[in-house]
Amino acid sequence: MIIIQGSIILGRVQLLSLEHLLPILLAVGVFLLLILHGKRSSIKTQSRLMHGIALAVSLTVIAFHLHKMLTSYYDLSKDLPLYLCSLLALLIPIYTYFRKYWMFEILVFWIIAGTLQAVITPDIAEGFPSFDYFRYWIVHLGLLTIILYSIFVLKLKPKFTSVFKSFFALQGYVILMVIINYFLDANYFYLNEKPKSASLLDYFGDWPYYLIVTQLIVFPLFLIIYLPFKLSEVKKRKTHLANN
């Protein structure tokens, strides 16, 4: 935050600053409380709680975009909720309402891989207490909370085939963004230019090399995310055999 002649200019959130770390610590505390509450609740209550969180995340994105349309210039090439996490925030209530397993299979890898990168290296142009700041953290930490709640409370687990489903679904999203970027001269999903803030993409070279490297590591990354689930399954199987 910068103060110039009595006016406050909200600067870009810096890596490992209080604006970066405090929301994460608060989210961890809230999530632990949700797990404790969820494990003592009925399935109906668990579903309602998760759906309520999803609605709050989605409504935050809708309110943010309506506010931007009404109070400033809304640029279709930059401001549409088409970045992966914003789009997921709009769609997540569909998953929490219907709770289809195939949706979980796709979302578990998208959310863990995508939002963790966004949480570790936040790209927030205006810091606390801007609307954009709150929107960013509510969306990313909210999505993580929902998917982790699905895993630890609802006991959903991906299969090995889920890795392929999620990967190919991601390719469909990328193709859609390429088409939209072409017609809007945009940079959704950072397909034409890396984000201005520090990110993991900085280590992958300039365009188009960072896109190639990202595509090469996405599938192995999904496999790494799947590994703990596989190890847990193997451990349970060994325990079951040992007890019989």
Side-chain angles (χ1 to χ4, degrees):
M1 182 180 296
I2 303 171
I3 302 177
I4 300 177
Q5 293 182 349
S7 62
I8 299 177
I9 300 177
L10 302 177
R12 183 171 290 276
V13 171
Q14 300 300 310
L15 194 66
L16 301 180
S17 65
L18 188 61
E19 289 178 305
H20 177 197
L21 298 178
L22 186 58
I24 299 173
L25 294 175
L26 290 174
V28 170
V30 170
F31 178 66
L32 292 176
L33 291 175
L34 287 174
I35 289 181
L36 293 174
H37 177 269
K39 290 190 173 183
R40 295 196 298 263
S41 303
S42 65
I43 295 177
K44 187 175 182 179
T45 300
Q46 292 172 353
S47 299
R48 284 180 174 178
L49 178 59
M50 188 171 69
H51 191 53
I53 296 171
L55 287 173
V57 170
S58 186
L59 289 173
T60 297
V61 173
I62 293 171
F64 173 79
H65 285 273
L66 288 175
H67 178 266
K68 191 173 182 64
M69 289 177 186
L70 295 172
T71 61
S72 63
Y73 174 68
Y74 196 84
D75 188 345
L76 295 181
S77 68
K78 297 178 181 178
D79 297 326
L80 289 173
L82 293 177
Y83 290 101
L84 185 59
C85 291
S86 293
L87 185 60
L88 288 178
L90 291 177
L91 299 177
I92 198 69
I94 300 174
Y95 160 66
T96 58
Y97 181 80
F98 291 104
R99 285 180 54 190
K100 298 294 185 182
Y101 179 71
W102 66 266
M103 296 180 184
F104 171 79
E105 289 183 285
I106 293 172
L107 292 175
V108 64
F109 297 101
W110 285 22
I111 290 177
I112 292 178
T115 58
L116 276 181
Q117 161 15 32
V119 168
I120 294 171
T121 57
D123 181 19
I124 314 176
E126 296 183 355
F128 181 87
S130 70
F131 198 165
D132 188 37
Y133 177 82
F134 286 105
R135 183 231 20 121
Y136 187 93
W137 290 117
I138 289 172
V139 166
H140 292 93
L141 295 175
L143 288 172
L144 262 180
T145 297
I146 290 166
I147 210 66
L148 292 177
Y149 193 88
S150 299
I151 294 168
F152 290 103
V153 178
L154 303 183
K155 304 299 182 182
L156 295 177
K157 303 289 187 290
K159 302 173 184 176
F160 180 64
T161 53
S162 305
V163 176
F164 294 89
K165 290 180 183 178
S166 188
F167 177 77
F168 287 116
L170 183 63
Q171 302 314 303
Y173 167 77
V174 170
I175 292 171
L176 178 61
M177 290 305 104
V178 168
I179 296 171
I180 291 175
N181 285 342
Y182 175 79
F183 284 105
L184 295 181
D185 191 23
N187 186 38
Y188 292 113
F189 205 43
Y190 304 114
L191 293 178
N192 297 322
E193 183 183 357
K194 290 184 286 187
K196 294 179 181 179
S197 62
S199 73
L200 294 177
L201 297 180
D202 293 334
Y203 299 97
F204 300 160
D206 296 326
W207 188 92
Y209 301 109
Y210 73 85
L211 295 177
I212 298 171
V213 173
T214 301
Q215 283 284 41
L216 290 175
I217 68 173
V218 164
F219 192 79
L221 176 59
F222 283 8
L223 287 174
I224 292 171
I225 293 171
Y226 170 71
L227 183 60
F229 297 101
K230 181 61 178 179
L231 293 176
S232 176
E233 180 186 333
V234 171
K235 184 179 178 180
K236 286 182 180 179
R237 191 179 302 149
K238 288 182 177 179
T239 302
H240 178 74
L241 291 174
N243 294 332
N244 291 311

